[in-house]
Amino acid sequence: MKKLLFLLLSLVLLLSACNSSDTTTATATKLENVPESVQGGIKIAIIRNLPADDHTKQFLDGARQEGEAFGFKVDTMIAENNDAKFQELVAQAIQQDYDGLIISHGKADYSYDMIQPAIDKGMKVVTFDTVAEKDGKKLEGVTETFQDDHKLAELSLDEIAALGDKPKVIKVWFGPGVPPLDSRQEIYKQYEEEGKFETLETVGPTNMQDVQGDVATKMNAILAKYPEGTVDAVWGSWDEMAKGAYKAMKDNKRDDIKMVSIDVSNQDINLMREEGSNWIATAAVDPFLIGQMNMRLLAKKLAGDETPESYNLEARLIKQSDLKEDTTMFNLDQIIEGWGVSDDHNEPWMDELRKEFKK
Amino acid sequence: MEQRALKIDNPIKKESPWQKPLNFINNWGTVIAIVVLIVFFAVAVPQFMTGSNIVNIMRSISIVTIIAIGLTVSLTVNGFDLSIGSTATLANSLVVSFFVWYSLPTGISIALALILALSVALFNAFLIVKIKIPDLFATLATMFIVEGVAMTYTGGGSISVGMPRLDGTPTNGTIPSAFALISQTPYIIILMLIVVGSVYFFLKHTKHGRYLYMIGGNIEASRLSGIPVNRYRTLAYVISALLAALGGVVLASQIGSAQINAGGGYLMPAVAAAFIGSSFAGQGKPNAIGTLVGATLIGILENGLVMMSVPYYSLNIIKGAVLALALASTYYTRRKN
Amino acid sequence: MVLIARAIVHERKFLILDEPTAPLSNRETAELFRIVRELSKNQGLGIIFISHRLPELFEICEAISIMKDGKMITTEAIKSINQKKVIELMLGKSFNEAHQKHQIPIGNTLLKVTNLTDEANFLKNVSVVVKEHEIVGIAGLVGAGKTELCKAIFGENANSSGEIYLKNKLVVNQNPSQAVKNGFALVPEERRKEGVLVDEPVFTNLTAASLKRFTLPFSILKPDREREKARKLIESLGIKTPNENQKVSLLSGGNQQKVAVGKWLLTDAELLMFDEPTKGVDVGAKGDIFDLITKLAEEGKGIIYASSELNEILNVTDRIYVMYDGQIVKELVTSETNEEEILFYSTGGQ
């Protein structure tokens, strides 16, 4: 018994030892054309306050890969829309010796106070979809990035409004309290008041761990209530929920209903491309690119370069009819102009770093 | 002691006039609740009683039921397996990774995922039987470990077709259409019924089932009756993990991807189903049919309430309240006995 | 010790010690005695020392009072009395009950236990022999190690050392499950906790140890067969229950005990151990249990009968081992001994 325990313990220790040994690769020589302040053991923390989904993963991957390409050590944390846990994580990160933070989806109520200590400590901060404002004052030196949620909502809802004369809509939405979804809701409300469509039901998840499955269950019940021909469209305000709704419609063979959503992932693309799929369009900003942009902005801050106070990432509409056989998240740029690649905020010294760390 | 013996020889016990109806409610509380709910929803929403909606309900409870049946087996030995949700997540991640990363065939992927998930059971059994940590604490620890293992293995938790791996390696596997079929009707419902039926038979009509219940009733007396107690407790956790993993595989088939802690959300509904099920037919013991009935109760409730356009944020209030009522009907009278 | 210390701090005039050495080791006992002596000498404390371990009393006390059945029998100076006399007084001189021993011819050696020592080192080098048709008593006071001995033979105490031979064949009882396979059975002392499953019906209790006999292929149970066997047992053992489906918790103590014994009658047990089988059992059921044990011996089984009820031991057994402090201190032939002698050895007499 004791032997086994010992074995287990030593295994754990060994594993952790291995882990730490390969992260401590510091650059020995300094590069000439690169600002010194971004060289040698830069540590970045990315903290995101959204339930884990494909969007989250792509955002984190984008930021991490860009950061690692610069030779930074990047740690990622997610708080799953638990504000208390989120603030804790951020506070912890500030305690540690990170050089920069990327804060994603902090809420207006606390973000200013939460980030303040990091600024005081001299950390560089870039935020995404986070409102860090207090009494109309913004935090100095923080760059805010947003994906244009109003625009995303407009793009998707225009598609729905175009389906006919005042189409009947099942709204798949969750909130209030999640900033991007709240922004999307504002547009939805506006359109609804303008009489562009009519809402039949609102569906949302109660099991935040299996959003997809949970929404599918609820959508099943709703679909049973509305026989064929009584619903025109489903608006999926977040693709994770849209996937569940899609699943339910497919299981019930309800291709009489069209679905338009917001956000995109590989799985979404696969589902849109399925034979007889009723998922006709989704509006999105490339989450991978968002991650990259956030990291570039943070690198520029570390280098002491000029950075804007805010930066908006442009929304695009991906239509079912545009998708090709082999389309994935990584070649969407072939069918959507300007998708996924951007030279914004790219500096010559970043290329130097990329070259150096490619070895 | 002597007094008690006398009572039995003399069966003229004073019974309150309420005893009989109370006993009836005690035994059949969950079933009554289901009937009442069905009538209520059928009147309130005409579409509730359509065949397709009933199929909907059955499908929606399938995964919860499969996982809850596993939990039921761990409850029979008076254990408690908190790690089922994580185990489902792990199996979900494993099976999707076999498809997407390694392009393995359907049968092999499923079998491998189930076999690997068994390591969770063995770890649980090691902690509980050998180290003698109480079940609840041991499986709580396992729950976190397994959740972390699943996330570490997948590199953050989610895998879907076409998504490159964490290190940037592109993937080219797809999810076979045969696999996706598992979660379609009627297969998913048939699978659930097979699981319920076979576990029912196993618990009720085999020597092993009898031993499991005996151990749950009194572990010391069971040991001293020559029952290999540790072996059977291990078996209980093996079955529990296996069914949780099966639930995870079905979940993978349903969502076609691996999601962070996707199985975690099934823990509490499974616990609720198994607990409600314990009171089924006055058994007072965890049992497979009861668990199915418990899951059905929750499923009907959820379906009906959504149909009545009860806002999703209020759903859990009513759900919890009905559960409390169903349980109260059982425990209120049991306390007196 | 803490309790004594607390008593001393409060400067009382009397100190009553009730079986103070029961949970203590020898070394601790010596320490306790040293303190007690000091207290009585230096602080002038009056001390009452209650114990059934007679040597202790002779070691530490100056006067002795003997109680029996709630009555004070006598008070004498310790010097004017000896251990034998104390025992006689404890039992009452009128004790002279006739043995109702069944005449059974004793067979070959069935069980041989040599140098059994348990993990906690409480049992020390215990050696026991039981022959076919023989009922062997284990006598001793509460805490002498009777239960520990039974459980150690039954494999409940896995890491114990020593060897167990059944019919001259070395057997390893790593756990009770193995012991049952090897032909051992135990009716434990704590009936409701260890002997029966109180929430289960009578018939599942009776078949608990022999369930393999009631299965089809794939371990599928044959409940009708179980019930049939159970009904037979209920009748032959005279278990008072409305039917075989009655929960055991609703039976009286004596009938519960019959169920606990009954489950072994369906196994191949060759050696049956009974640990305080009459505890909490009414007089009628007691007689039934004695008859049953005697009958089992007649069938050729070996019986170990552990009890602190001396008259029962004398009544039922052929031979007696007397235990004191985890050791067997004396082996006696039942027909040649009496209660005084047993008590003498079980209270540590040499």
Side-chain angles (χ1 to χ4, degrees), chain A residues 6-19:
Chain A
F6 178 73
L7 214 83
L8 235 115
L9 261 172
S10 41
L11 202 80
V12 170
L13 284 174
L14 207 77
L15 277 172
S16 51
C18 289
N19 218 353

Side-chain angles (χ1 to χ4, degrees), chain A residues 52 57 175 201 210 225 267, chain B residues 47 158 255 260 266 307 309:
Chain A
K57 187 169 159 55
E201 294 280 348
D210 181 20
K225 188 173 164 187
Q267 210 190 356
Chain B
Q47 295 90 342
S158 66
I255 61 181
I260 297 173
Y266 286 96
M307 270 198 170
S309 307

Side-chain angles (χ1 to χ4, degrees), chain A residues 212-267:
Chain A
Q212 240 181 86
D214 199 39
V215 169
T217 302
K218 301 203 159 95
M219 197 67 189
N220 271 325
I222 290 291
L223 286 176
K225 188 173 164 187
Y226 294 94
E228 221 155 297
T230 52
V231 185
D232 296 306
V234 168
W235 182 59
S237 62
W238 171 29
D239 66 334
E240 195 61 22
M241 297 192 282
K243 275 185 272 190
Y246 174 76
K247 174 86 189 159
M249 287 187 278
K250 190 178 154 193
D251 285 344
N252 286 288
K253 303 193 176 58
R254 291 296 294 273
D255 47 14
D256 57 310
I257 307 169
K258 304 284 176 223
M259 183 166 81
V260 181
S261 66
I262 296 178
D263 290 341
V264 68
S265 72
N266 261 313
Q267 210 190 356

Side-chain angles (χ1 to χ4, degrees), chain B residues 22-34 279-282 329:
Chain B
L22 266 178
N23 272 344
F24 183 76
I25 293 172
N26 180 10
N27 292 349
W28 299 101
T30 37
V31 180
I32 295 168
I34 288 178
S279 69
F280 173 67
S329 73

